[in-house]
Amino acid sequence: DAGVIQSPRHEVTEMGQEVTLRCKPISGHDYLFWYRQTMMRGLELLIYFNNNVPIDDSGMPEDRFSAKMPNASFSTLKIQPSEPRDSAVYFCASRYGDSNTEAFFGQGTRLTVV
Amino acid sequence: AQTVTQSQPEMSVQEAETVTLSCTYDTSESDYYLFWYKQPPSRQMILVIRQEAYKQQNATENRFSVNFQKAAKSFSLKISDSQLGDAAMYFCASNSGGSNYKLTFGKGTLLTVNP
């Protein structure tokens, strides 16, 4: 398996534009996590899914952020409209089953909003 | 709610020496798991070691070992015979069992290895 695949690796956009980040989890994994990493806040969990169903979105900063998982092999994180303070590295991770198993991370998307 | 605290924003160690990174956590769950992840400059998150809370024996993976003190809710990482390739950001994480499978991270410790 190629691991967790995120696209794009880098994204530069202007304030007010819509941004969509994409994630393909490892095949067979039933948990998918979206994290945001900044210097100030570290790694924050935004939302996670189990079997394509959102379980906890309490980490989503505001209504401008939304996430979907239409099927087991694809998830998106959308920011509309984007703001400069959204600039961060966004990670997607997936895991199979039990909570003691390893979560595998993608390479992250570095988002810059100017 | 889970919280994970890493009190050392930065640490440094001489090559071949030993260093210990600190982590404390708080959880209301009785069944949980603890992890250390490494993030080198490539940005990739790599699992270093994991510990099940119900196991009293400290986990060990080659040069990496943990000191798990359940009563104190402490989970420190010891790196022996430090190598230049160990230089990275290290994150402590906790993952509760039960109905809550969140993986919560600390803010990280940046480790520098001096030749």
Side-chain angles (χ1 to χ4, degrees), chain A residues 63-99:
Chain A
D63 292 345
R64 297 184 298 107
F65 286 69
S66 63
K68 294 182 180 179
M69 192 165 185
N71 56 61
S73 59
F74 185 65
S75 177
T76 59
L77 178 68
K78 185 178 292 186
I79 308 172
Q80 165 63 20
S82 58
E83 297 182 3
R85 59 194 168 115
D86 302 330
S87 298
V89 178
Y90 291 81
F91 284 99
C92 174
S94 71
R95 186 185 73 208
Y96 172 72
D98 226 359
S99 56

Side-chain angles (χ1 to χ4, degrees), chain B:
Chain B
Q2 302 173 77
T3 59
V4 179
T5 303
Q6 293 179 251
S7 59
Q8 306 153 315
E10 296 183 28
M11 292 281 284
S12 64
V13 63
Q14 290 295 127
E15 197 175 2
E17 297 294 308
T18 296
V19 64
T20 299
L21 308 184
S22 301
C23 173
T24 58
Y25 62 92
D26 193 14
T27 179
S28 56
E29 300 284 344
S30 58
D31 175 27
Y32 56 91
Y33 307 89
L34 300 165
F35 306 81
W36 279 97
Y37 278 83
K38 168 185 176 181
Q39 186 181 42
S42 67
R43 218 164 66 194
Q44 183 67 51
M45 294 287 284
I46 303 165
L47 179 67
V48 174
I49 198 166
R50 85 188 85 189
Q51 173 85 40
E52 289 91 339
Y54 65 87
K55 289 187 177 179
Q56 293 187 341
Q57 186 174 7
N58 289 325
T60 300
E61 289 285 343
N62 301 312
R63 297 182 296 106
F64 298 87
S65 61
V66 300
N67 183 6
F68 175 46
Q69 301 289 328
K70 191 171 184 178
K73 295 186 176 177
S74 169
F75 182 61
S76 61
L77 175 69
K78 186 171 83 171
I79 306 174
S80 303
D81 185 25
S82 298
Q83 300 175 0
L84 295 178
D86 295 334
M89 183 73 86
Y90 285 82
F91 291 95
C92 177
S94 117
N95 195 3
S96 291
S99 60
N100 179 357
Y101 288 102
K102 281 184 181 181
L103 182 60
T104 303
F105 286 84
K107 290 195 174 181
T109 297
L110 180 62
L111 179 66
T112 302
V113 181
N114 301 310

Side-chain angles (χ1 to χ4, degrees), chain A residues 25-87:
Chain A
I26 292 173
S27 177
H29 282 193
D30 53 350
Y31 282 87
L32 185 139
F33 304 83
W34 280 102
Y35 288 89
R36 177 172 68 177
Q37 184 177 27
T38 61
M39 290 292 291
M40 291 296 294
R41 295 174 173 266
L43 271 163
E44 302 174 275
L45 177 63
L46 301 177
I47 185 171
Y48 76 99
F49 297 82
N50 177 219
N51 292 322
N52 315 337
V53 177
I55 303 300
D56 188 339
D57 65 354
S58 60
M60 297 285 261
E62 48 199 276
D63 292 345
R64 297 184 298 107
F65 286 69
S66 63
K68 294 182 180 179
M69 192 165 185
N71 56 61
S73 59
F74 185 65
S75 177
T76 59
L77 178 68
K78 185 178 292 186
I79 308 172
Q80 165 63 20
S82 58
E83 297 182 3
R85 59 194 168 115
D86 302 330
S87 298

